[in-house]
Amino acid sequence: MIPIKSILPFALAPLLLTGCLGAGSSSDEPEQDDVDIGQSIELRRTSFGIPHIKADNFAGMGYAYGYAQAEDNLCLIAEDTLTIRGLRSRYFGPDGTYRIPSNGAETNNLNADFFWRVTATEDAIRPLRENSDPEAVAASAGYVAGFNRYRAEIQAGQHPGRHQRCRDADWLFALEESDMYRRYLRLAVLASSSVFVEGIANAQPPVSDGTAPMVSAPDPDQLLSELAQEDEDSTLPFPFNRELPFGSNMYGLSSEASTTGESILFGNPHFPWEKTERLYLAHLKVGDHTEIMGASLYGLPAVLIGFNEHFAWSHTVSTAYRFTFYELTLNPADPTQYLYDGEFVDMAQQDVTIEVLEEDGSVGVRNRTLYQSHYGPMLTFEVSGVPVLNWSSGKAYTLRDANAENDRLLNQFFRWNKANSLEEFIDVHASVLGVPWVNTVATGPGQQAYYGDVTVVPNVPDAKAEGAICGSSLSPVFSQLAPGLPILDGSKSECQWETDADAPAAGIFGPGNLPTLRRDDWVHNCNDSYWATNPKELLTGFAAIIGDEATPRTLRTRKCMQQVIQRLDGSDGLSGSQDFDLASLQSVVLDSSLMSEQLAREDVLNAYCGVASLEGSEGTPVDIVNACKVLQQWDGTHNLDSRGGHIWREFWRGVSALADSSPDKWLTPFDARDPVNTPRDLNVANPRIINAFADAVKKIQDSPIALDAAIRDIQVSGIHDSPIPVFGGEGFEGSFTIAISRPNDLSDGQYDINYGNSYIQTVTWEEDGTPRAEGFVTYSQSTDPASPYYSDMTEAYSEKQWIRFPFSEEDIAADELPVQYQFGELDLDDDDEEDEEDDD
């Protein structure tokens, strides 16, 4: 075995490394098995810091990938490692805020620590580690070694100026292989268990003296009444709210929709611009059998959305639920026992101790006992102070999470990365069935467009979810709050999830009961259900837990479909022939127009702008004259030089509080035969809509923002040090091009964008089969302000300057940056002069 030695500090183009990687260099490095990284690894970067990696095997690929991600995002990955080990309170204090922006969860550090300690346990990650393919295991081990290599160099004083936030921090731990599997589990449960961080961390039985009477079941009507009395903005968090806090757009365009006769794919996740649900672009080649380029979430050494010469694919967040609740009937003498098939069963108890950094700098501890049923963790849940799921002396609630049981996640993506045709890609989609929570669209050169919501979904047919046998006391409540989400009677074994004959694991639907579609023209998904994937061929007959059917689509989805339809019939006003090529697709997907504006601006201005003022919701008149003048001149988009769109956005924020199914919102109701064009004709006489217009104008008047401000002056990146203008709007207003500021606070005079368009890829193929891809990582590749790749892609995105993703060797060589990586033995005690001599 030849240990690895750093030859040069990180500043200089190709990494060549031979031999096997040892355990590590630092005294606190974890012990681990040697990793065979092969005889040759090459790491090059092209413009905007895109890594291009070649390796003999998957361990070597993972090594270079881990090193590159550490160089670009060391502190962010280190903090996430600290988090899923349950150590936030120890290093950041118990009262600090913990957020998962992509699913809306927010709590304090202490609750986060308790949650991850009982969720990401060794028992929980063992099946994932033991059942993953050898390639995934090897790449994970290589990633650990590569990450630790860069970390060791930082801690030895190399790479001066880089990663100031954490380079000297006591929480910059060496990565362990178990951290990788915790990270994978964390990603798997992003749309399920981790939504309920606070509810799981704080679930405690009521204090009982053993004589408390059985509490009657909650009254559904009373609960719904209490929730209805809450503020209209107090919406149920994901996944109860179908307007997801993370989403995406994607198209698969086959030859009939293309001017070139070649298929085209567009993918665009809408993910947070901060934390570790950012996406990272890389080009990976392993031996002569695997080559793939695209994006992955941090810490996962495979491409999750990408392309090669055989196919391209993308994902959007699916509407299917990945979990169910169970209502438990408790022993009136012991609220930690529940009825199951006629007998009382003890809940499992786990005593957890968390170290905390006290205000005086000392280290204290906090203790809790947390509980699990045989289904999963106990939890409580409330909305705006109204208990929805409460642990009383008679009833309690628990959660079963299908993705906490999903040990096929890594196999899904690693096998896709190795696939050699679109047909193989589609076959692997169904046979592995490890996709956790996203729809998939794919196509290939000369191939059909494919869609599938072939994902991990609890097998709960409608008859079981809605039936008298397995329904619970709260089923009527959830049928209104979260249609499709079952809350089952946990006292009967017959209410366990079912298993399809073609399912690869117990308790989930098999591919035969999940929606797919193949078309010669086009498919899409923009976060509504599978139902109108192509409105010419509606998909129906699936369980409600997967998604809704024959219901209004969101304005973003309607815009999504409209753009394709109008391009194909030539009615969108673009020059040139009908159908798509790469240039016309790129023009359409970033044009920043709004479905709500198309549907309603003329009616709104005609109805309201003939008067000087309108009454706001507080009963006071609001002067609307100047706002009307601006909106009459507005170009109807949220492009950088557009003026007035922010007034419309704030108006539609109020309008969107009214459900599309409300008879008071649209004069022409929804028609399932025309999901693109209905509902329509805004009811401008509705007092709530009149109030919404007046309130929007007043909100802007009361802010530092001028009514006629240009988007470039008021909408900027919220994560960069310098103001970079960002075009785009929000899904609720029917924008396809997404830019979101959360929270929506205009007190600083601007929208600080921290969520929305993230990784964007447009992919087609040349005549020789070579993929041609262009796109962006909208927030750039690095989170380190000292990195040259911290804001460069964001600046290009701001100007809509599409970036070529070099795939062929010729294109890579033509764009290669003068940054050199060379490695030999890892001996960090040597000074720079000795290192240079060794290099020679």
Side-chain angles (χ1 to χ4, degrees), residues 296-340:
S296 180
L297 296 168
Y298 289 6
L300 206 163
V303 169
L304 304 185
I305 294 175
F307 60 90
N308 60 19
E309 67 272 30
H310 305 300
F311 53 82
W313 83 99
S314 192
H315 296 301
T316 60
V317 178
S318 160
T319 58
Y321 288 106
R322 312 299 163 180
F323 63 95
T324 67
F325 296 122
Y326 279 93
E327 183 178 76
L328 303 181
T329 299
L330 303 181
N331 183 343
D334 184 351
T336 65
Q337 291 184 334
Y338 60 97
L339 192 66
Y340 187 70

Side-chain angles (χ1 to χ4, degrees), residues 619-808:
T620 56
V622 177
D623 185 340
I624 65 168
V625 172
N626 289 333
C628 284
K629 290 179 180 178
V630 172
L631 286 175
Q632 286 165 343
Q633 297 299 314
W634 174 42
D635 68 1
T637 76
H638 287 318
N639 282 309
L640 294 185
D641 292 324
S642 300
R643 296 177 180 273
H646 57 298
I647 305 172
W648 187 264
R649 175 183 299 167
E650 296 309 323
F651 163 52
W652 210 264
R653 197 184 302 277
V655 173
S656 65
L658 286 168
D660 281 337
S661 58
S662 168
D664 298 325
K665 185 172 184 179
W666 301 104
L667 299 177
T668 300
F670 169 70
D671 184 344
R673 296 166 298 181
D674 189 6
V676 179
N677 299 304
T678 63
R680 64 176 183 270
D681 303 319
L682 188 68
N683 183 3
V684 293
N686 183 340
R688 288 186 62 184
I689 293 177
I690 295 171
N691 292 162
F693 189 84
D695 290 347
V697 174
K698 186 174 189 307
K699 182 176 181 179
I700 302 300
Q701 291 172 342
D702 290 347
S703 78
I705 300 176
L707 290 169
D708 63 349
I711 287 292
R712 72 167 58 252
D713 296 325
I714 61 173
Q715 186 164 282
V716 300
S717 168
I719 66 166
H720 292 99
D721 299 332
S722 57
I724 303 173
V726 180
F727 53 86
E730 300 215 29
F732 69 77
E733 56 183 330
S735 179
F736 181 89
T737 312
I738 301 299
I740 296 176
S741 173
R742 289 290 184 270
N744 178 43
D745 179 9
L746 304 184
S747 61
D748 63 351
Q750 60 190 31
Y751 295 90
D752 300 299
I753 302 304
N754 54 13
Y755 163 79
N757 282 8
S758 52
Y759 172 65
I760 300 176
Q761 65 176 25
T762 56
V763 184
T764 190
W765 289 266
E766 308 286 6
E767 289 185 3
D768 64 358
T770 302
R772 178 180 179 88
E774 297 178 359
F776 306 94
V777 178
T778 60
Y779 33 65
S780 302
Q781 290 276 80
S782 176
T783 51
D784 178 16
S787 169
Y789 317 125
Y790 175 64
S791 60
D792 53 347
M793 273 209 210
T794 313
E795 292 164 354
Y797 175 69
S798 175
E799 298 301 322
K800 299 186 183 180
Q801 296 173 350
W802 287 80
I803 296 166
R804 180 77 177 268
F805 296 166
F807 188 86
S808 70

Side-chain angles (χ1 to χ4, degrees), residues 417-446:
N417 285 190
K418 297 191 301 174
N420 290 312
S421 68
L422 179 64
E423 288 302 322
E424 184 179 357
F425 180 95
I426 294 171
D427 288 344
V428 168
H429 196 193
S431 61
V432 177
L433 220 172
V435 174
W437 36 261
V438 287
N439 303 285
T440 301
V441 159
T443 190

Side-chain angles (χ1 to χ4, degrees), residues 66-325:
Y67 189 95
Q69 282 209 343
E71 185 195 14
D72 290 337
N73 300 289
L74 179 72
C75 299
L76 192 58
I77 297 170
E79 183 180 339
D80 194 60
T81 301
L82 169 96
T83 296
I84 56 180
R85 288 185 184 181
L87 295 173
R88 292 187 66 86
S89 298
R90 169 63 183 83
Y91 293 94
F92 304 145
D95 299 325
T97 299
Y98 171 68
R99 294 187 303 117
I100 307 177
S102 51
N103 70 16
E106 183 170 338
T107 188
N108 59 36
N109 289 338
L110 185 62
N111 288 334
D113 288 340
F114 279 113
F115 173 82
W116 288 115
R117 288 285 183 91
V118 298
T119 301
T121 63
E122 286 298 320
D123 286 343
I125 66 175
R126 185 178 298 111
L128 188 60
R129 186 188 342 230
E130 292 179 349
N131 295 317
S132 291
D133 289 345
E135 295 88 345
V137 174
S140 300
Y143 185 99
V144 169
F147 180 94
N148 287 342
R149 170 60 180 266
Y150 186 81
R151 167 189 172 272
E153 292 173 3
I154 281 284
Q155 292 192 325
Q158 295 186 25
H159 319 301
R162 297 299 305 274
H163 307 289
Q164 293 294 333
R165 175 172 171 254
C166 70
R167 66 179 296 136
D168 298 319
D170 53 1
W171 49 267
L172 181 56
F173 302 126
L175 205 60
E176 301 178 10
E177 288 184 32
S178 59
D179 293 321
M180 300 296 287
Y181 295 93
R182 290 188 189 98
R183 171 73 174 147
Y184 304 149
L185 177 66
R186 178 201 184 308
L187 296 175
V189 302
L190 193 61
S192 45
S193 296
S194 70
V195 176
F196 305 102
V197 171
E198 185 160 314
I200 291 173
N202 285 297
Q204 295 290 298
V207 176
S208 174
D209 60 4
T211 62
M214 179 74 75
V215 174
S216 60
D219 182 280
D221 293 334
Q222 181 181 352
L223 184 54
L224 285 169
S225 175
E226 290 178 7
L227 289 169
Q229 293 172 15
E230 295 303 310
D231 187 274
E232 290 176 359
D233 292 332
S234 300
T235 55
L236 287 165
F238 174 83
F240 297 144
N241 178 355
R242 286 299 190 189
E243 188 69 28
L244 307 177
F246 64 159
S248 310
N249 296 330
M250 61 183 177
Y251 294 135
L253 306 170
S254 197
S255 57
E256 290 185 8
S258 167
T259 60
T260 65
E262 193 51 87
S263 302
I264 308 173
L265 183 126
F266 166 73
N268 176 203
H270 307 148
F271 266 46
W273 284 27
E274 50 192 352
K275 306 296 182 182
T276 48
E277 271 59 77
R278 286 168 50 118
L279 288 146
Y280 186 83
L281 173 62
H283 180 193
L284 312 175
K285 186 173 183 179
V286 180
D288 296 326
H289 51 78
T290 299
E291 184 170 15
I292 201 78
M293 187 172 188
S296 180
L297 296 168
Y298 289 6
L300 206 163
V303 169
L304 304 185
I305 294 175
F307 60 90
N308 60 19
E309 67 272 30
H310 305 300
F311 53 82
W313 83 99
S314 192
H315 296 301
T316 60
V317 178
S318 160
T319 58
Y321 288 106
R322 312 299 163 180
F323 63 95
T324 67
F325 296 122

Side-chain angles (χ1 to χ4, degrees), residues 119 123-125 127-128 131 185 188-189 192-193 322-324 326 374-377 399-409 433-434 456-459 496-499 504-508:
T119 301
D123 286 343
I125 66 175
L128 188 60
N131 295 317
L185 177 66
V189 302
S192 45
S193 296
R322 312 299 163 180
F323 63 95
T324 67
Y326 279 93
H374 71 280
Y375 297 106
L399 172 147
R400 183 178 176 188
D401 185 340
N403 273 319
E405 305 170 17
N406 178 8
D407 59 11
R408 303 170 308 286
L409 170 68
L433 220 172
V456 178
V457 185
N459 192 328
Q496 292 274 14
W497 300 347
E498 299 180 11
T499 301
I508 62 173

